[in-house]
Amino acid sequence: MNSAALNQYPPALDATALRADFPILDQPVNGHPLVYLDNAATTQKPQVVIDAVADFYSCDNANVHRGVHRLSQRASDRFEGAREKVRAFINAPSCAEVVFTQGTTGAINLVAQSYGRSNLSKGDEVLVSAMEHHANIVPWQLLCEETGATLKVAPMNNNAELLLEDFTNLLSEKTRIVALTHVSNALGTINPIQKLTRQAHQAGAVVLIDGAQSVAHEPVDVQSLGCDFFAFSGHKLYGPTGVGVLYGRETLLEAMPPWLGGGDMIRTVSFEGSTWNALPYKFEAGTPHIAGVVGLGAAIDYLDAIGLQAISTHEQSLLALATQRAHTQPGMRIIGNASDKAAIVSFELDGIHPHDVGTILDSAGVAIRTGHHCAMPVMQFFDVPATARASFGLYNTAEDINALFDAITQTQSLFAR
Amino acid sequence: MNDLRDLYQEVIFDHNRSPRNFGLLEHPTHQAHGVNPLCGDELKVSLVLDKDGVIEDLRFEGRGCAISTASASIMTETLKGLSAREADRYFDAFHAMATGESPTPTDLPALTKLKVLSGVRHYPARVKCATLAWHTVRSALQNASASVTTES
């Protein structure tokens, strides 16, 4: 490797130093240092995010886009400033295309209800993948029930990789919406979104990407992905809960009817009828989660300073280490072995139910998720009631993986009695 | 680790490894299907109530964690031979013990056996694992055929 190629690699990330930015990590749980490996459920918040939210309430709190008074102006500035940070973060062409929602779920439901209801009818099809989170299944089922459209499912193989040929074959002129997860929350699979989007566009469908599990773990550029809609949540991005983002192509958002009616989304209201505000406000009825949006902006600043590429490299090394350890751990099976994976390890231990695994790991201070991960069709496919899942974030270290495997060994010996 | 041993007692492992009365009855008079939507665990209970209202036979089937399997197994042993009315009293007693919400009655002879599950009260997220089988059997006794979830 020459030095030019070496320079393309980001500087190594010092996870041990970064841990100091996250006050919650510095605590004992059940007498052990907390090992937080549930990042796919939600990430912890750095002090700068906590401070940004507290500072907003302490100094600038007011409603946005309404008052002529100073606080309202400052609140609006911070709110719109965060929108610009989000725009730059995902490389959206314009702030008009960045809609704040309650989260990924809210964003997907917005598209299903607004775009879906006005564009789909009987005979049309919505195509999803077999590895979707319930949030990218149920809104489409509701839409199909309302419009008479049909939900189609692109299958995956036993490694949890999408079957590309089947995906292609399922596309037709009937396909109006293709809704795919960027990264599977239950399996870790990274889907080849660029390629899938290109194919879906050739069939004439619009494409929505569920980015809940991708934005905090690799650089995301919505223009290079080519998708029409991209949804994600603040709380999986080291930001506050209750706030998320819908990116939508401006021409599509312009043509879509409002979903929720109320304040801030209108231009004029009379009892004879109302007219709608410009983008993105047309889709932001009611007082938004202003402090949450400000916190999300701070989280993006924090991640930008570290660099998403450095985070991705760090997490991939953790994934490689955990996968290698899992392969040598007797009685352990990883569910989800895609060749392109995010740092999520879903697993089973022979003869031990995931819930028991979760409780015993917790007694050792190790926090993982157990259950169906809001992906019951995935559990049905792999014929398991549930899995245990360790998911990694920027502050996790090789020591955390040691603690995880020590606790797994302890669980196995407890059950071997 | 002391707390953990309190929850995972040897009796629990024993019933988890070899659950008693496992399987389904061919000709049940009552049956029900229990689901814990939080974890996806499912459990089926089938029983035969004789003409005097006594639980003549009782079996369960399903896959769940050690706590839910052991609880279902011990439950079948406890309730066999009791009347539906007595079973209801045991349900209340077990529920009180598992949730720690109200004092556990002391006048039920077979309750001693169920005490191995009392450790769940310190694990709120696991209480439903222990009570799923009991909810399901109660639902079976109330309706000849029913479906129940721990979230209802």
Side-chain angles (χ1 to χ4, degrees):
Chain A
M1 198 180 285
N2 61 34
S3 61
L6 268 178
N7 286 339
Q8 290 170 5
Y9 281 81
L13 175 160
D14 185 353
T16 309
L18 290 174
R19 290 177 77 84
D21 297 335
F22 293 82
I24 202 169
L25 296 177
D26 183 25
Q27 65 172 304
V29 166
N30 293 321
H32 298 266
L34 169 64
V35 175
Y36 186 78
L37 298 176
D38 196 14
N39 295 286
T42 197
T43 49
Q44 300 303 345
K45 320 306 172 197
Q47 191 65 52
V48 285
V49 168
I50 299 166
D51 288 348
V53 172
D55 180 70
F56 174 78
Y57 282 128
S58 305
C59 304
D60 299 329
N61 180 54
N63 214 325
V64 290
H65 310 143
R66 282 165 176 79
V68 294
H69 60 81
R70 178 61 61 190
L71 290 188
S72 178
Q73 190 55 50
R74 291 210 299 254
S76 299
D77 289 349
R78 290 186 77 169
F79 186 76
E80 291 306 321
R83 195 189 306 274
E84 166 56 25
K85 289 175 208 271
V86 171
R87 185 209 63 74
F89 184 67
I90 58 171
N91 194 30
S94 133
C95 277
E97 299 176 305
V98 175
V99 177
F100 287 119
T101 65
Q102 65 176 52
T104 308
T105 300
I108 296 173
N109 277 278
L110 191 166
V111 175
Q113 291 300 309
S114 170
Y115 182 88
R117 280 208 292 201
S118 48
N119 286 281
L120 268 72
S121 52
K122 197 168 163 53
D124 289 337
E125 292 176 0
V126 177
L127 178 60
V128 300
S129 86
M131 65 183 87
E132 299 305 322
H133 185 284
H134 296 163
N136 204 23
I137 300 173
V138 182
W140 307 114
Q141 285 175 329
L142 292 172
L143 173 66
C144 287
E145 272 173 30
E146 286 168 30
T147 61
T150 308
L151 186 69
K152 296 279 180 178
V153 183
M156 61 180 160
N157 64 20
N158 288 331
N159 281 338
E161 292 158 331
L162 197 63
L163 291 167
L164 300 182
E165 204 170 306
D166 293 73
F167 175 83
T168 310
N169 291 337
L170 281 164
L171 287 169
S172 74
E173 70 284 350
K174 291 185 201 163
T175 317
R176 305 302 308 277
I177 298 173
V178 173
L180 296 170
T181 191
H182 195 174
V183 171
S184 158
N185 73 309
L187 302 159
T189 309
I190 303 177
N191 284 313
I193 295 304
Q194 263 182 323
K195 184 178 173 175
L196 301 171
T197 298
R198 225 172 14 245
Q199 286 190 13
H201 281 163
Q202 279 163 11
V206 301
V207 177
L208 175 139
I209 301 304
D210 170 357
Q213 296 294 341
S214 64
V215 280
H217 308 284
E218 59 178 289
V220 164
D221 178 332
V222 292
Q223 295 188 61
S224 123
L225 287 175
C227 56
D228 302 292
F229 299 104
F230 188 91
F232 65 95
S233 299
H235 74 97
K236 294 192 201 287
L237 193 69
Y238 306 94
T241 55
V243 61
V245 172
L246 173 69
Y247 156 78
R249 217 181 270 284
E250 191 164 355
T251 47
L252 293 172
L253 292 178
E254 271 304 348
M256 284 158 56
W259 176 36
L260 298 175
D264 222 26
M265 53 75 68
I266 46 85
R267 182 158 285 141
T268 62
V269 175
S270 74
F271 286 112
E272 286 68 47
S274 303
T275 58
W276 316 132
N277 202 343
L279 290 176
Y281 312 110
K282 182 171 81 174
F283 295 107
E284 293 180 356
T287 297
H289 184 5
I290 308 167
V293 166
V294 168
L296 175 58
I300 288 174
D301 284 344
Y302 180 77
L303 293 175
D304 278 343
I306 300 167
L308 259 295
Q309 192 54 57
I311 293 170
S312 168
T313 306
H314 170 69
E315 291 178 0
Q316 284 297 316
S317 74
L318 293 175
L319 174 67
L321 178 60
T323 306
Q324 180 228 322
R325 290 286 304 266
H327 288 155
T328 54
Q329 181 80 16
M332 182 170 179
R333 176 169 82 108
I334 292 184
I335 294 172
N337 293 287
S339 59
D340 200 7
K341 257 188 87 167
I344 291 173
V345 178
S346 234
F347 64 93
E348 261 201 320
L349 300 181
D350 278 351
I352 312 176
H353 191 280
H355 267 190
D356 297 314
V357 177
T359 296
I360 299 167
L361 262 58
D362 178 62
S363 75
V366 179
I368 61 158
R369 170 81 190 267
T370 62
H372 53 59
H373 316 295
C374 294
M376 286 171 99
V378 170
M379 301 299 115
Q380 287 150 18
F381 178 82
F382 287 100
D383 193 28
V384 290
T387 74
R389 180 189 69 186
S391 53
F392 303 93
L394 64 90
Y395 37 62
N396 289 122
T397 61
E399 288 78 59
D400 291 342
I401 293 177
N402 286 338
L404 169 68
F405 280 87
D406 285 350
I408 286 173
T409 303
Q410 184 195 335
T411 306
Q412 290 173 320
S413 47
L414 193 67
F415 265 73
R417 288 193 302 176
Chain B
M1 283 306 290
N2 283 341
D3 278 350
L4 199 58
R5 299 276 178 195
D6 197 30
L7 179 63
Y8 288 101
Q9 298 186 33
E10 192 50 44
V11 182
I12 303 283
F13 287 118
D14 175 43
H15 280 269
N16 182 47
R17 271 190 299 266
S18 14
R20 324 295 197 261
N21 301 306
F22 193 80
L24 289 177
L25 293 169
E26 257 185 52
H27 303 290
T29 56
H30 295 69
Q31 56 189 331
H33 181 203
V35 178
N36 182 346
L38 296 180
C39 62
D41 283 356
E42 293 188 48
L43 192 114
K44 283 178 187 159
V45 159
S46 60
L47 62 96
V48 173
L49 211 58
D50 72 12
K51 58 179 178 0
D52 301 321
V54 170
I55 299 171
E56 192 179 286
D57 206 356
L58 168 61
R59 295 178 85 80
F60 82 100
E61 191 180 78
R63 51 181 184 181
C65 60
I67 304 300
S68 95
T69 303
S71 176
S73 175
I74 296 168
M75 178 193 78
T76 59
E77 286 190 324
T78 307
L79 296 186
K80 249 196 224 185
L82 296 184
S83 71
R85 213 188 144 91
E86 288 168 315
D88 223 36
R89 282 205 66 206
Y90 273 96
F91 175 93
D92 291 338
F94 183 77
H95 202 267
M97 189 175 77
T99 57
E101 278 166 7
S102 44
T104 310
T106 50
D107 60 332
L108 297 173
L111 208 60
T112 328
K113 197 166 192 176
L114 298 172
K115 285 212 170 111
V116 292
L117 284 152
S118 62
V120 290
R121 71 170 67 187
H122 303 300
Y123 296 81
R126 303 300 301 277
V127 169
K128 282 171 181 168
C129 306
T131 57
L132 177 61
W134 287 86
H135 279 286
T136 312
V137 84
R138 190 161 78 158
S139 157
L141 286 168
Q142 284 167 353
N143 311 285
S145 178
S147 195
V148 66
T149 96
T150 54
E151 300 308 286
S152 63

